[in-house]
């Protein structure tokens, strides 16, 4: 009788273990993470006092994002970033967030959308020329990429330096560094991520960077093939800082 009881107990125990393993396998299914995509639509030129429509098309994994946490447009005249205006966008449909804005003077202006959704932040920027400068030739934009391997970007008292090795090789691990200072002191405990994509490709890779006590944020990345890539470092913190810097890099075979 005791043998029968022990045998039945063993059967129930094995069945319970099987069910537990199945539950663990099901609960371990991971959700694929996609980059937050923002298509910023800004006309190249407009007339002074003309009402201009500015739109950010937001998508995630190929699907329109209808419930973004925040979408705002920052607008400023060239050389006057400190006097920028921040305007909250209205959700229209199909992941489109729009504002209408009237520029009250001629010149070169910049429009940057600040989009937060799916626990990500994306801030594309475009230029618009208002009035007469359209014919005379406009600026090519702020913070143009150069051949230097150190790119500097400043907003007020924040300085961001994105650094890469001199020679970057395909299929070799590459160290990416960003040095960040605020008020002439290292910026600590920031959220720093690298967005990396090859020119002409829709695939964007995201890499989290780790920071140290000197305000240096590092990550390692392996480029799968040679060609021209874009690296955009996204910097934000709990105090409302939202900045990014983009650098072009040529990857050798």
């Amino acid at each position: 009788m005791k043998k029968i009881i022990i045998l039945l107990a063993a059967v129930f125990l094995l069945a319970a273990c099987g069910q537990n393993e199945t539950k663990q396998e099901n609960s371990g299914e991971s959700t694929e993470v996609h980059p937050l995509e923002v298509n910023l639509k800004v006309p190249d030129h407009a007339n002074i006092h003309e009402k201009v429509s500015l739109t950010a098309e937001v998508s995630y994994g190929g699907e329109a994002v209808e419930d973004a946490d925040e979408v705002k447009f920052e607008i400023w005249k060239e050389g006057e970033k400190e006097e920028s205006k921040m305007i909250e966008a209205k959700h229209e449909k199909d992941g489109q967030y729009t504002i209408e804005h009237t520029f009250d003077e001629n010149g070169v202006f910049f429009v940057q959308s600040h989009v937060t959704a799916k626990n990500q932040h994306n801030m594309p920027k475009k230029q618009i020329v208002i009035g007469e400068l359209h014919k005379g030739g406009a600026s090519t934009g702020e913070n143009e990429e150069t051949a230097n391997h150190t790119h500097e970007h400043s907003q007020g008292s924040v300085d961001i330096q994105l650094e890469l090795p001199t020679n970057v090789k395909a299929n070799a691990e590459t160290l990416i560094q960003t040095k960040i200072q605020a008020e002439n002191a290292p910026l600590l405990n920031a959220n720093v991520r690298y967005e990396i994509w090859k020119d002409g490709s829709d695939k964007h890779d995201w890499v989290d960077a780790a920071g140290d006590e000197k305000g240096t944020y590092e990550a390692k990345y392996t480029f799968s093939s040679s060609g021209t890539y874009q690296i955009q470092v996204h910097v934000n913190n709990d105090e409302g800082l939202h900045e990014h810097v983009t650098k072009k890099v040529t990857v050798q075979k």
Side-chain angles (χ1 to χ4, degrees):
M1 187 61 150
K2 290 183 178 179
K3 290 182 179 180
I4 295 175
I5 294 174
I6 293 173
L7 181 59
L8 290 174
V11 170
F12 286 121
L13 180 60
L14 288 173
C17 289
Q19 292 177 356
N20 188 46
E21 289 176 359
T22 301
K23 291 179 179 179
Q24 289 180 351
E25 288 176 0
N26 292 336
S27 62
E29 292 179 357
S30 59
T31 302
E32 185 177 358
V33 177
H34 301 280
L36 180 67
E37 302 285 353
V38 180
N39 178 25
L40 178 59
K41 302 178 72 173
V42 177
D44 296 329
H45 172 257
N47 295 319
I48 189 171
H49 303 312
E50 175 186 357
K51 187 176 291 187
V52 181
S53 179
L54 309 173
T55 300
E57 295 180 341
V58 186
S59 61
Y60 180 83
E63 299 291 335
V65 175
E66 310 290 355
D67 57 352
D69 298 318
E70 181 182 71
V71 179
K72 292 183 178 180
F73 287 87
E74 185 178 10
I75 302 172
W76 70 94
K77 189 174 183 180
E78 185 176 38
E80 300 178 5
K81 182 69 161 68
E82 296 78 8
E83 300 178 10
S84 65
K85 298 179 180 179
M86 193 74 76
I87 305 171
E88 188 170 354
K90 179 183 178 182
H91 177 234
E92 300 292 342
K93 61 178 182 178
D94 300 328
Q96 296 182 9
Y97 298 79
T98 303
I99 67 168
E100 289 188 339
H101 184 73
T102 301
F103 296 86
D104 57 6
E105 59 179 311
N106 294 326
V108 179
F109 287 80
F110 294 92
V111 178
Q112 185 170 36
S113 60
H114 297 260
V115 180
T116 303
K118 308 298 182 181
N119 295 317
Q120 298 184 39
H121 190 76
N122 199 341
M123 303 179 296
K125 179 177 70 175
K126 287 191 175 181
Q127 173 184 292
I128 180 173
V129 179
I130 304 299
E132 299 174 356
L133 287 183
H134 181 62
K135 296 181 180 180
S139 166
T140 56
E142 293 183 342
N143 302 315
E144 287 287 324
E145 304 305 331
T146 67
N148 297 330
H149 290 276
T150 300
H151 181 81
E152 297 185 2
H153 174 84
S154 298
Q155 180 189 12
S157 58
V158 179
D159 180 75
I160 302 173
Q161 299 180 7
L162 174 57
E163 300 180 351
L164 290 168
T166 303
N167 296 313
V168 179
K169 300 288 186 180
N171 300 311
E173 196 171 61
T174 300
L175 178 65
I176 306 174
Q177 289 184 320
T178 300
K179 297 179 180 179
I180 309 174
Q181 285 196 330
E183 303 292 344
N184 297 319
L187 179 66
L188 306 180
N189 302 318
N191 299 314
V192 178
R193 304 182 74 198
Y194 295 111
E195 182 182 5
I196 305 170
W197 70 96
K198 190 174 184 178
D199 280 359
S201 174
D202 293 330
K203 183 178 183 295
H204 291 224
D205 289 337
W206 292 80
V207 183
D208 292 323
D212 61 17
E213 70 281 357
K214 296 181 180 180
T216 299
Y217 294 81
E218 298 183 344
K220 293 181 179 180
Y221 182 79
T222 300
F223 296 90
S224 59
S225 62
S226 59
T228 302
Y229 286 78
Q230 303 284 346
I231 300 178
Q232 187 171 79
V233 54
H234 296 259
V235 181
N236 61 77
N237 62 13
D238 295 336
E239 297 178 2
L241 174 67
H242 295 292
E243 270 298 337
H244 74 277
V245 167
T246 305
K247 182 171 182 176
K248 183 179 294 186
V249 58
T250 301
V251 178
Q252 305 294 333
K253 292 183 179 179

